[in-house]
Amino acid sequence: MISKKEKISEAIGNVENKYIEEALAYGRDAKVSRFRLTKASVACIVLCMVSLMSITGFAMSYLELSWKDIFGEEQTVISDDDEMMISSEHITEEITEEDNLQINIQKVISDERALYILYTIRGNKGQILDANGRFANFQMYFPDKMMSGAFYQMPLKSTVQENINELGGVIYADWQADTEEQELILQFSDWQEKEMLAPVKVDFDLEEAVQNAGKNVRLPVHSNQWVQEYLWQPAGGQTELPYSNGVFLDNIGWEDGILQFVLRGPVDAWEWFCGQNFYLIDTRTDIIIFPASLGVGCTPDALDKTIGEVDWQYFWRYFEVEEEDLPFLELYCGGKEAYVTKVTGDYKVIIDEITVTMSSERLVENIVLEYNGAPERIEKIECSKITIGIYFAECIDSSAGILEMFEAYDVEGNILDYHWAYTADANGEGSLVWAVFDEPQEQGTINTITYNGEVIYSAN
Amino acid sequence: MEDSKIIELFFARSEQAIVELSNKYGKTCFKIALNILSNPLDAEECVNDAYLGVWNSIPPQNPNPLYSYVYRIVRNLSIKRYHANTAVKRNSLYDVSFNELEECLATVSYIDEYDAQELSDAINEFLGTLNSANRIMFMRRYWFSESLADIAEVFGITEHNVAVRLYRIREKMRKFMNKKGVRI
């Protein structure tokens, strides 16, 4: 079956000639382009920025984001009255384990169902931050409250003028707002950027290691239990794999065409264990052999109950190779792009008073409709500038296609751009089917809402 | 030599046509193949195979422009060779650039329902929405599989800047593709 990558590759290969010609012509005719800055002008910019930094200090942010940076230049729906500007008086505590980054929460908009937060990050030591980077870990939560939905980072529009060491960001979250103000905690740790890692040969004689390991050194337990027929015995090997941040080749063994690696490393190194981060090269043919996609891992107490809880684990991966190949195989790491921590530190921001900044208006209430063969009562349908909310009196089964059944139209009969979601109420007594608009809409834009093609709300 | 003269040589079945084709477009052909295969010997073989493909197809074909015709053949043969290898070479620029796109389109689930031509049409449409600079950058990265460094050199900007702009182009593409998938 053709892979998605192959299909994309083939499709791009078939694009129109004019685009190929345009790309070629640019390289041929415009080698020195208008985008080029002279070294002198770059130096000037750097000098200017250094001067500016020394005047304004680190406490201020250069980059002022607006809602146009996520919704687009045409956005005029969200006004100053709809947003909450976050200043130092809203932040009760800022904890930074290392003072390498400054995280500046700028603005919030929210209704009863959705929340957007605009923020910037900047390097306090002049670090250049890559917009493709990410935090190794990001968490947000309302203390003592169940987080009702998803949260994630969204991209900004390409028109945002980011500085070389300051980036803008936007966090989107589903929430079920209280009538009272809520405390919100945001936690970020370790800024990472993608880097092409050079291939590094591991100083390791595969054939010798296999001979030393002997044969049939199987774990007495766990044979025939997991994806592999058996698991090889750990042996405490001390060869650390490059780029792994503490993953060791613990043991290695070969039997019946399977070369099995026992790895040992931190419990939070799953991503590294599971990826294609190490591989063999057959020196006769230069063919690269990656480990099979299946693997298995466990903490040591799963093997030996006398071992208490520890912060490291074992992981088993295997290669399909023949015994006679072993003398010609070399072990490598790298040769691919990977996220590498560039700026360390844990950052925690506590915002005191998050509340609804733009309230919804009620469009209709008490409607009974049939869903999944039974009558269901909608308590109310609400709408704000950013979402529509349909509140069911009972908790309904979302798997019977409820999300595809609602549609909303403007006065001209155009369907509105949005994506639907479903949330069960925290107390299990009701549920919410709701839509987030791709672009904010003026209240009153919704003219009609249909369910299964039948109108359940009309403004007329 | 002008393209029309080279094509005349092909029509006359003169082997000088290959020499002239190679003199004029050989360097770029080799770079396209090398970007994809990361192996000079494989790249050279693919370029030679492409010349043979051109020899066998002209006549009856009379492509205009000649270079995009040749480059397409080189690219297609290189990709075929790439997939024919028993293992994927992870440090190939081709692999890196398409991993970026695959990641970008990972959430576009209906892509499996499209055949490559339908997808091409959608990509053509998407390219039409980009400004010229962004479109050129996209093509150089994903058609010619050029490295960030090479693109940065052509545009006179930093690699970082290229990476940022490509990221935004991919985000636009993801959004565009998702919108195409909306069934009303």
Side-chain angles (χ1 to χ4, degrees):
Chain A
M1 187 183 163
I2 190 167
S3 72
K4 187 179 282 186
K5 187 156 62 179
E6 285 173 79
K7 191 180 280 185
I8 296 166
S9 160
E10 188 183 339
I12 287 178
N14 290 335
V15 297
E16 291 175 21
N17 269 344
K18 62 182 180 185
Y19 298 134
I20 301 170
E21 287 156 23
E22 181 186 45
L24 283 166
Y26 189 83
R28 195 174 55 235
D29 304 333
K31 194 80 176 174
V32 180
S33 77
R34 65 182 182 279
F35 296 108
R36 186 181 293 279
L37 298 170
T38 64
K39 284 184 180 172
S41 66
V42 171
C44 288
I45 289 169
V46 172
L47 276 174
C48 291
M49 292 193 67
V50 169
S51 306
L52 192 61
M53 283 166 73
S54 64
I55 292 166
T56 60
F58 289 124
M60 288 183 65
S61 174
Y62 303 142
L63 189 61
E64 286 198 11
L65 298 173
S66 81
W67 303 108
K68 291 184 178 181
D69 296 331
I70 57 172
F71 296 124
E73 279 300 308
E74 309 78 30
Q75 193 286 127
T76 53
V77 175
I78 305 295
S79 68
D80 293 349
D81 294 338
D82 297 319
E83 69 187 18
M84 174 185 178
M85 296 291 290
I86 304 293
S87 62
S88 55
E89 66 193 54
H90 298 106
I91 310 257
T92 54
E93 196 178 1
E94 257 183 294
I95 300 163
T96 56
E97 195 171 286
E98 286 184 59
D99 192 23
N100 291 326
L101 286 179
Q102 179 186 317
I103 296 170
N104 183 290
I105 309 293
Q106 293 194 352
K107 299 174 184 176
V108 173
I109 53 171
S110 61
D111 68 0
E112 296 82 355
R113 297 162 290 275
L115 179 77
Y116 292 91
I117 301 171
L118 286 178
Y119 71 99
T120 61
I121 58 169
R122 61 183 292 189
N124 276 346
K125 294 171 184 169
Q127 305 97 321
I128 295 173
L129 303 176
D130 184 342
N132 289 321
R134 67 175 189 187
F135 283 102
N137 191 20
F138 165 66
Q139 293 291 324
M140 66 176 286
Y141 56 94
F142 300 94
D144 305 321
K145 290 185 189 301
M146 195 170 93
M147 186 73 196
S148 61
F151 56 89
Y152 51 87
Q153 302 275 345
M154 288 173 62
L156 295 168
K157 296 287 182 190
S158 58
T159 47
V160 180
Q161 297 298 309
E162 291 166 319
N163 299 313
I164 57 169
N165 72 336
E166 185 175 31
L167 302 175
V170 55
I171 298 162
Y172 167 83
D174 303 345
W175 75 330
Q176 288 177 326
D178 272 358
T179 48
E180 295 175 0
E181 292 164 335
Q182 289 171 251
E183 187 181 73
L184 174 63
I185 296 181
L186 302 163
Q187 284 181 293
F188 310 79
S189 56
D190 290 351
W191 178 254
Q192 298 186 321
E193 293 174 3
K194 268 193 172 175
E195 197 173 86
M196 176 57 83
L197 305 178
V200 176
K201 184 184 165 189
V202 183
D203 186 15
F204 188 78
D205 187 330
L206 210 61
E207 187 187 20
E208 187 185 338
V210 167
Q211 283 169 356
N212 291 341
K215 287 188 178 179
N216 293 317
V217 187
R218 299 177 179 189
L219 280 171
V221 291
H222 300 301
S223 290
N224 300 312
Q225 282 195 5
W226 288 327
V227 290
Q228 290 150 253
E229 188 184 344
Y230 61 89
L231 299 178
W232 210 263
Q233 181 82 46
Q238 294 299 319
T239 303
E240 185 173 0
L241 297 179
Y243 307 122
S244 68
N245 289 325
V247 173
F248 290 84
L249 194 47
D250 188 286
N251 199 8
I252 191 167
W254 181 91
E255 189 178 83
D256 295 338
I258 299 293
L259 178 68
Q260 198 177 103
F261 277 23
V262 187
L263 303 164
R264 183 182 75 248
V267 285
D268 60 0
W270 281 101
E271 198 178 345
W272 201 92
F273 280 120
C274 299
Q276 292 186 320
N277 293 310
F278 52 94
Y279 48 91
L280 303 172
I281 293 184
D282 187 326
T283 54
R284 297 165 299 184
T285 59
D286 284 342
I287 285 175
I288 298 176
I289 307 165
F290 286 105
S293 57
L294 296 175
V296 62
C298 69
T299 48
D301 57 337
L303 306 178
D304 181 352
K305 296 293 180 198
T306 64
I307 300 175
E309 195 173 321
V310 292
D311 59 357
W312 55 275
Q313 63 170 326
Y314 292 116
F315 207 92
W316 287 262
R317 298 291 300 269
Y318 66 93
F319 299 84
E320 293 180 12
V321 294
E322 297 305 322
E323 190 169 21
E324 58 267 26
D325 297 333
L326 293 175
F328 304 101
L329 300 179
E330 291 178 344
L331 176 61
Y332 278 79
C333 288
K336 62 178 285 187
E337 280 189 320
Y339 280 104
V340 175
T341 296
K342 295 289 187 179
V343 185
T344 58
D346 295 318
Y347 307 89
K348 184 175 181 180
V349 182
I350 302 174
I351 309 173
D352 273 353
E353 301 162 345
I354 292 288
T355 187
V356 171
T357 66
M358 52 179 104
S359 297
S360 296
E361 64 175 349
R362 190 165 297 191
L363 301 180
V364 66
E365 54 192 10
N366 277 326
I367 304 172
V368 177
L369 46 78
E370 187 175 311
Y371 171 65
N372 209 14
E376 296 288 353
R377 188 170 69 85
I378 294 173
E379 286 184 334
K380 58 182 178 178
I381 299 178
E382 289 184 349
C383 177
S384 77
K385 291 181 176 180
I386 52 176
T387 69
I388 307 167
I390 299 171
Y391 290 83
F392 282 83
E394 303 292 328
C395 195
I396 58 168
D397 173 13
S398 63
S399 65
I402 188 71
L403 300 188
E404 290 82 44
M405 293 179 177
F406 291 103
E407 287 180 337
Y409 299 86
D410 66 14
V411 70
E412 290 169 349
N414 300 312
I415 196 162
L416 297 168
D417 287 333
Y418 43 58
H419 55 275
W420 288 96
Y422 166 88
T423 310
D425 192 86
N427 60 18
E429 290 178 356
S431 50
L432 169 64
V433 174
W434 53 298
V436 184
F437 294 124
D438 290 357
E439 301 287 338
Q441 303 289 331
E442 290 288 1
Q443 280 183 313
T445 301
I446 294 180
N447 185 257
T448 312
I449 297 175
T450 62
Y451 172 77
N452 259 348
E454 291 188 14
V455 175
I456 57 169
Y457 162 74
S458 173
N460 301 324
Chain B
M1 181 181 277
E2 288 177 14
D3 285 359
S4 58
K5 298 285 182 199
I6 297 174
I7 288 177
E8 277 178 24
L9 289 172
F10 274 109
F11 271 80
R13 308 316 286 161
S14 165
E15 290 179 15
Q16 186 62 26
I18 301 286
V19 176
E20 297 298 340
L21 185 72
S22 175
N23 285 344
K24 192 165 183 183
Y25 299 122
K27 200 173 162 186
T28 304
C29 287
F30 181 75
K31 192 162 186 300
I32 291 170
L34 189 64
N35 282 345
I36 294 169
L37 293 162
S38 295
N39 179 319
L41 290 176
D42 280 357
E44 202 173 322
E45 275 184 35
C46 270
V47 172
N48 286 335
D49 287 348
Y51 292 160
L52 183 63
V54 175
W55 176 261
N56 288 334
S57 58
I58 305 175
Q61 300 257 23
N62 187 356
N64 182 20
L66 177 61
Y67 58 80
S68 59
Y69 180 75
V70 179
Y71 295 159
R72 268 183 210 280
I73 295 177
V74 171
R75 184 177 185 276
N76 290 342
L77 287 176
S78 302
I79 290 170
K80 200 178 275 185
R81 168 75 63 98
Y82 173 88
H83 289 303
N85 288 347
T86 53
V88 178
K89 299 191 174 187
R90 300 292 300 185
N91 56 351
S92 150
L93 295 174
Y94 167 81
D95 196 46
V96 171
S97 62
F98 277 100
N99 279 343
E100 292 167 3
L101 272 186
E102 191 178 39
E103 198 171 297
C104 151
L105 296 176
T107 55
V108 186
S109 57
Y110 67 90
I111 209 165
D112 292 333
E113 297 164 22
Y114 273 46
D115 67 25
Q117 188 52 53
E118 286 173 316
L119 199 52
S120 289
D121 294 343
I123 293 170
N124 274 322
E125 200 181 328
F126 167 70
L127 288 173
T129 68
L130 295 178
N131 66 33
S132 173
N134 283 349
R135 191 163 52 234
I136 290 165
M137 202 171 273
F138 179 95
M139 288 295 289
R140 284 193 166 263
R141 182 66 171 161
Y142 303 117
W143 204 97
F144 291 94
S145 297
E146 287 189 353
S147 67
L148 296 181
D150 283 351
I151 298 169
E153 168 68 23
V154 169
F155 277 82
I157 57 180
T158 65
E159 280 184 57
H160 168 71
N161 203 328
V162 173
V164 170
R165 288 175 67 168
L166 283 169
Y167 170 75
R168 288 176 175 158
I169 294 168
R170 290 198 302 275
E171 283 304 312
K172 278 185 183 171
M173 185 178 185
R174 187 175 58 78
K175 195 161 185 188
F176 179 87
M177 291 300 194
N178 268 322
K179 277 199 168 171
K180 295 282 292 179
V182 173
R183 286 170 181 76
I184 299 172

